[in-house]
Amino acid sequence: MILLSTITKEPMPANPVTLIDVAKAAGVSPITVSRALNEPHLVKPATLAKVQEAVKLTGYVKNMLAGGLASSRSKLVALVLPTISTQTFADLVQGATDRLTAAGYQLLLGIVGYETWREEILVETILSRRPDGIILTGSLHTDSTRQRLLQIGTPVVEAWDLTPHPIDMAIGFSHEEVGHMCAQHLLKQGYRRFAILTANDPRAGQRTQGFQVAIAKHGASVIASHVVQAPGALPQGRLGAIKLLDEHPELDAIFCSSDTLAHGVLIEAQSRGLRVPQDLAIMGFGDLNFSEYTNPPLSTVKVDGAKIGALSAQALLDRLAGGGDSAPAERVVNTGFELIQRGST
């Protein structure tokens, strides 16, 4: 995996080792060296071993740019994320990396935060490196980004979200439906006085909107809400809970945009002597690796980030294998989610 922000230009040696130099050192033809480097499964083990040893002795570095120009492939796939500080996005990266690496591709990772204008700038930089495919997070982009990607024709997957009108392909789940299902769950448990604690990122906003709509349909209401800077850390969760509970002590449920924020709410509730879930229900999102080990364990929504990453990578690989122009059977793939009820609701 290549992190875009860390790529630097290194000075090239005055006389770089060539493929011909490797061939001479190994005692084989340049064609054999090329085959050993690009299609090792087609080369006899003894010959492959000689070539590999010659590469080590000469210090030869394969010129991916030259190979890419010859084959019209860079063997790079770009993945644009808002952050890698959360487990869910880290899982997505791992899933995509595993699938791409197995197919001989490298992942070019770009981090843009939650502002679409940052994504626009980075996408232009990424396109200058001629990636074979691009995976974007979500379906909200500037008009310029969308138009640029439509013009360039590079295969694109919008991951982690669903949209009826993708740039190319979309693989993810409905955040509005997540909010809707969480609301139904809390209503079914008998809670009626709700607050929302959310980070200010667009997908969290979609979950919040789905939650509010579902609550209103059942004649209940959201009494209060508090927004924190994305992605939302545990201290922000506790500070948000302090504000909400100080101003609205009658609350009986808090819907959080992440398990991290929910964990902060849980700590504050316990510091006040509130019983969870009898006095206050707490609902998270993400099913992070600590969520089932809090006391009580957090109710949450599980999303398979690794699966989304792997499916996104495979969709690009399938498109590339088909020559780049053949559309996949499904342009929009709903990976779904799972509401997990634990002790906090």
Side-chain angles (χ1 to χ4, degrees):
M1 181 175 67
I2 303 169
L3 187 61
L4 188 62
S5 61
T6 62
I7 295 176
T8 58
K9 293 184 178 180
E10 297 293 337
M12 293 296 291
N15 297 297
V17 177
T18 68
L19 186 141
I20 294 175
D21 296 325
V22 176
K24 290 178 179 178
V28 299
S29 70
I31 293 176
T32 300
V33 173
S34 177
R35 186 177 294 118
L37 295 175
N38 295 294
E39 299 175 295
H41 60 285
L42 298 179
V43 180
K44 293 180 180 179
T47 303
L48 181 60
K50 287 198 296 183
V51 173
Q52 291 173 337
E53 183 63 24
V55 168
K56 292 179 182 178
L57 289 173
T58 59
Y60 174 74
V61 177
K62 184 178 177 182
N63 188 338
M64 291 298 294
L65 178 59
L69 291 172
S71 65
S72 299
R73 294 284 170 82
S74 65
K75 290 294 183 178
L76 289 176
V77 168
L79 171 57
V80 179
L81 290 172
T83 178
I84 53 173
S85 65
T86 64
Q87 177 194 328
T88 47
F89 286 135
D91 290 345
L92 188 153
V93 172
Q94 192 63 59
T97 300
D98 290 346
R99 189 62 57 90
L100 291 169
T101 300
Y105 283 77
Q106 293 295 320
L107 190 69
L108 184 67
L109 183 61
I111 309 300
V112 295
Y114 292 88
E115 294 90 1
T116 55
W117 64 268
R118 292 184 184 275
E119 180 191 66
E120 179 180 328
I121 293 172
L122 185 63
V123 165
E124 195 62 37
T125 301
I126 286 171
L127 290 175
S128 71
R129 296 178 181 274
R130 301 296 190 269
D132 292 333
I134 299 174
I135 302 172
L136 302 175
T137 303
S139 58
L140 298 177
H141 321 285
T142 65
D143 291 340
S144 177
T145 297
R146 185 177 180 85
Q147 186 61 33
R148 187 80 168 101
L149 291 171
L150 287 169
Q151 289 175 337
I152 205 73
T154 300
V156 175
V157 173
E158 292 167 281
W160 207 256
D161 202 352
L162 290 180
T163 173
H165 305 292
I167 295 172
D168 187 2
M169 298 172 278
I171 298 176
F173 58 97
S174 168
H175 292 266
E176 292 91 344
E177 186 60 30
V178 168
H180 185 81
M181 184 173 288
C182 289
Q184 287 184 318
H185 168 68
L186 291 171
L187 287 165
K188 185 178 179 181
Q189 297 300 110
Y191 300 103
R192 292 295 182 271
R193 298 181 298 278
F194 301 99
I196 293 173
L197 178 57
T198 180
N200 62 342
D201 78 79
R203 285 163 294 281
Q206 291 169 5
R207 295 193 293 275
T208 295
Q209 182 178 14
F211 185 86
Q212 290 175 312
V213 169
I215 291 296
K217 285 181 178 179
H218 287 80
S221 63
V222 175
I223 296 173
S225 62
H226 182 67
V227 180
V228 304
Q229 184 64 40
L234 187 149
Q236 293 171 299
R238 183 167 186 182
L239 291 172
I242 291 173
K243 178 177 176 60
L244 290 170
L245 292 171
D246 280 351
E247 295 179 359
H248 302 278
E250 73 276 17
L251 291 174
D252 63 4
I254 299 180
F255 173 57
C256 303
S257 64
S258 71
D259 284 356
T260 306
L261 291 176
H263 192 188
V265 174
L266 178 60
I267 292 172
E268 177 58 26
Q270 292 173 333
S271 74
R272 293 173 179 242
L274 295 175
R275 298 171 301 160
V276 177
Q278 294 90 339
D279 299 325
L280 182 70
I282 303 169
M283 187 81 202
F285 172 82
D287 192 30
L288 302 185
N289 52 18
F290 63 81
S291 301
E292 64 178 311
Y293 300 105
T294 57
N295 184 27
L298 286 173
S299 293
T300 185
V301 174
K302 180 180 179 62
V303 175
D304 194 338
K307 178 181 178 181
I308 293 174
L311 289 176
S312 298
Q314 190 61 53
L316 293 177
L317 293 171
D318 290 345
R319 175 69 62 80
L320 293 168
D325 296 321
S326 58
E330 293 182 274
R331 292 185 65 221
V332 179
V333 178
N334 187 346
T335 58
F337 55 86
E338 179 186 1
L339 190 149
I340 300 176
Q341 181 180 4
R342 296 194 179 111
S344 69
T345 62

